[in-house]
Amino acid sequence: PRRVVERGPYIREWDESGEAFERLVAAVAARGEVDTPIWVRSSGPAGQRTFVLVAGKGRLRAALRNRLAAVPVRDLGELTDQEAVARQV
């Protein structure tokens, strides 16, 4: 999870102080995994690819809070900001 960059004007804010986030953290802890993939876009040459979050900020943060070593990821390939926003709708 630490290889995913959370940046971009299209990334929605996620309230980590709320009850909904705490329920998500507890659910991930109970399962020991994130069951729904986060979505990323990628760029750069093989071996040096950068993965930028498109969707799944709450799941990613819950995984980090639970110190999971890995999360399922769906790589959408190289997308522009506009294409990333369109994927979120």
Side-chain angles (χ1 to χ4, degrees):
R2 299 197 187 290
R3 292 184 55 204
V4 176
V5 178
E6 296 178 41
R7 65 181 157 98
Y10 55 85
I11 302 234
R12 297 179 185 152
E13 290 302 314
W14 183 265
D15 181 10
E16 291 184 38
S17 65
E19 187 178 316
F21 181 67
E22 291 304 321
R23 283 195 307 269
L24 179 57
V25 169
V28 168
R31 286 190 303 271
E33 65 181 6
V34 173
D35 59 355
T36 303
I38 62 170
W39 290 4
V40 299
R41 63 183 179 158
S42 57
S43 63
Q48 297 178 344
R49 296 195 67 75
T50 300
F51 300 98
V52 180
L53 185 67
V54 172
K57 186 173 188 174
R59 295 186 300 272
L60 177 61
R61 293 279 177 92
L64 290 170
R65 174 87 69 87
N66 282 291
R67 297 185 174 142
L68 297 183
V71 296
V73 174
R74 180 173 179 205
D75 184 355
L76 303 175
E78 295 187 17
L79 300 176
T80 65
D81 285 353
Q82 293 79 15
E83 291 169 325
V85 169
R87 296 289 178 110
Q88 292 178 341
V89 178

